[in-house]
Structure formats: structure tokens, C-alpha cells
């Protein structure tokens, strides 16, 4: 990872083709690049979803054969992607918090209404309102712990041009 980050521009961008810029003038150069800035975070969130999908019964039955380090890791690993985690990810992606909340609430609701119960909905009440001042402390805490469904997260990421590795294509303007 350290070597890759040194080969990337500003530690996150891999320029496409330095010989063929998107635009070139005396005062400006525009290059297409892959943005790897969220790839690790994206993969970490996907690993939480993969862990959710594992058969819990299998983990319990294998617990006797697992060493203590693996058991400790399994116990400390987050078991759900929460709204709080999602909003940190969305902020790093460049999506404003109110817009990210609104979009993920709609997606969570959409997937919760379908026969596939992959997405969960808030435990108490609805959080469709973006008015932070109208929420009680308990409602705000519940919202922070609200689980984000895998399908909703995947749809959000595709809508913001992240590929299956958490990389997106961007343009960079040099002046």
C-alpha cells in the first residue's frame, strides 16, 4: 500500500495517459485519472457486508476449533454498516450529509419494501426529516445506529460512479 500510494498523484490518483490530456492550453492542463482515495474504505464496508452474509451457525460450531486471535477478531469486527459509518464514507466521497441521508433513506426504504429483506429500516419511527433540531437525542442516536442495507449502499455507490473496487474516474485540472 505504501509503494502504491507513492506511485499515485497526491497518494490517490492514477493518471490515465499523460501523453493525451483531455484539454491542454498555455495556462491549463486537464487529465483523466482514477481516484483510489476511497478504495480501502469501500472494501472495508464490503467486508462488513460479507461477514453479515456468513452463516452465524457455522461460526459458532467452528468456535471450538478457532484460535483465540480469530475469535477476538470476530468479536471486535463491526457487524453492521451504520448510518454514522455511511455518512463518514459519503462525506469523503464529497456528498453533503443532508443529501447523503436523504438518498440513503430512500434507497433503504426502496429495498426494504421489496421481497429481499437485505436492508433494514430504523427501529423507532422514521427519519425522513432532515431537520436536525426537531429530533430528540434518542432519535438522533437511533439514526446514527440505523443499519444501511447492502443493496442500498451498492446502489448509492454506483450512482456516485464508484466501481466494484471503490475507484472512480475523475478529471484533474492543473493550472
Amino acid at each position: 500500500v505504501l509503494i502504491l500510494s507513492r506511485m499515485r498523484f497526491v497518494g490517490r490518483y492514477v493518471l490515465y495517459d499523460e501523453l493525451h490530456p483531455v484539454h491542454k492550453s498555455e495556462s491549463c492542463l486537464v487529465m483523466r485519472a482514477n481516484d483510489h482515495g476511497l478504495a480501502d474504505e469501500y472494501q472495508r464496508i464490503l467486508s462488513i457486508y460479507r461477514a453479515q452474509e456468513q452463516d452465524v451457525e457455522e461460526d459458532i460450531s467452528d468456535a471450538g476449533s478457532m484460535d483465540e486471535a480469530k475469535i477476538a477478531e470476530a468479536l471486535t469486527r463491526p457487524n453492521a454498516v451504520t448510518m454514522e459509518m455511511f455518512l463518514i464514507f459519503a462525506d469523503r466521497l464529497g456528498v453533503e450529509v443532508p443529501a447523503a441521508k436523504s438518498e440513503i433513506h430512500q434507497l433503504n426504504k426502496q429495498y426494504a419494501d421489496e421481497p429481499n429483506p437485505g436492508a433494514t429500516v430504523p427501529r423507532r419511527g422514521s427519519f425522513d426529516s432532515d431537520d436536525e433540531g426537531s429530533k430528540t437525542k434518542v432519535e438522533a442516536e437511533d439514526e446514527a445506529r440505523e443499519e444501511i442495507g447492502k443493496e442500498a449502499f451498492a446502489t448509492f455507490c454506483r450512482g456516485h460512479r464508484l466501481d466494484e473496487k471503490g475507484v472512480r474516474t475523475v478529471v484533474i485540472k492543473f493550472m
Side-chain angles (χ1 to χ4, degrees), residues 10 15 17 19 29 39 41 77 99 111-112 138 141 151 154 166 169-170:
V10 193
L15 300 176
D17 181 7
L19 299 176
L29 176 69
E41 181 82 12
R77 178 178 61 222
Y111 287 106
V138 171
E141 289 171 357
E151 296 86 357
T169 301
V170 297

Side-chain angles (χ1 to χ4, degrees), residues 86-101 103 156 160 168:
F86 168 76
L87 291 177
I88 291 169
F89 176 83
D91 182 58
R92 290 180 182 156
L93 182 60
V95 181
E96 293 183 9
V97 170
K101 275 185 187 181
E103 185 175 345
F156 177 87
H160 291 275
R168 64 183 172 164

Side-chain angles (χ1 to χ4, degrees), residues 36-53:
H36 292 261
L38 288 170
D40 291 340
E41 181 82 12
Y42 179 84
Q43 291 302 321
R44 187 176 73 77
I45 289 174
L46 286 186
S47 72
I48 294 169
Y49 286 122
R50 282 191 293 273
Q52 281 180 334
E53 292 171 354

Side-chain angles (χ1 to χ4, degrees), residues 120-134:
T120 60
V121 293
R123 285 176 286 161
R124 294 185 235 176
S126 172
F127 300 112
D128 290 336
S129 170
D130 286 330
D131 183 10
E132 296 297 324
S134 68

Side-chain angles (χ1 to χ4, degrees), residues 12-144:
R12 69 186 279 175
Y13 301 102
V14 176
L15 300 176
Y16 267 23
D17 181 7
E18 293 85 8
L19 299 176
H20 300 95
V22 174
H23 171 77
K24 185 176 181 180
S25 68
E26 287 185 24
S27 62
C28 172
L29 176 69
V30 179
M31 302 290 300
R32 200 174 304 279
N34 281 335
D35 179 1
H36 292 261
L38 288 170
D40 291 340
E41 181 82 12
Y42 179 84
Q43 291 302 321
R44 187 176 73 77
I45 289 174
L46 286 186
S47 72
I48 294 169
Y49 286 122
R50 282 191 293 273
Q52 281 180 334
E53 292 171 354
Q54 290 177 352
D55 184 11
V56 175
E57 295 299 321
E58 181 181 310
D59 289 345
I60 292 171
S61 66
D62 290 343
S65 63
M66 292 174 67
D67 64 24
E68 288 183 30
K70 285 185 181 178
I71 293 171
E73 177 196 350
L75 291 174
T76 59
R77 178 178 61 222
N79 60 2
V81 177
T82 63
M83 178 64 76
E84 183 176 31
M85 293 167 65
F86 168 76
L87 291 177
I88 291 169
F89 176 83
D91 182 58
R92 290 180 182 156
L93 182 60
V95 181
E96 293 183 9
V97 170
K101 275 185 187 181
S102 176
E103 185 175 345
I104 204 66
H105 282 304
Q106 290 174 357
L107 290 169
N108 245 1
K109 184 175 180 340
Q110 173 188 333
Y111 287 106
D113 289 343
E114 290 182 4
N116 180 357
T120 60
V121 293
R123 285 176 286 161
R124 294 185 235 176
S126 172
F127 300 112
D128 290 336
S129 170
D130 286 330
D131 183 10
E132 296 297 324
S134 68
K135 294 179 186 168
T136 67
K137 184 177 179 182
V138 171
E139 288 173 330
E141 289 171 357
D142 279 352
E143 182 180 30

